[in-house]
Amino acid sequence: MLGLNLSNTDAHKIIVQRGEVIIDEISYSGSSDGKSTQLDIAKYDATLNDEASSFCVSTTQYGLDCTAEGAVCDWGTPGQPNGACTTEPAE
């Protein structure tokens, strides 16, 4: 499994290559503060990950207890596999 961190701002591109040969290329846009954009676990494929609809805003909460008054919650799966996209696609 490849480990990397992605920025939440601006449009970005990930290029996976070996030497001069490009194996895969993925473009993604940023997400809102505290909410990560994830690639649907069922779309871990060099062709399926090309579609914008393969990405969504994470619905998995981590970190602080979001029920506490004034808590700022984070959403994502840091260090863990992504979940299935059951929400509307990421912007």
Side-chain angles (χ1 to χ4, degrees), residues 26-42:
I26 304 166
S27 295
Y28 71 98
S29 60
S31 62
S32 60
D33 287 343
K35 293 194 175 188
S36 67
T37 297
Q38 69 175 17
L39 174 63
D40 189 308
I41 195 166

Side-chain angles (χ1 to χ4, degrees), residues 42-64:
K43 307 292 177 80
Y44 286 6
D45 174 285
T47 302
L48 296 174
N49 69 22
D50 293 343
E51 300 296 322
S53 62
S54 297
F55 295 83
C56 62
V57 176
S58 179
T59 59
T60 304
Q61 174 192 327
Y62 72 96
L64 296 175

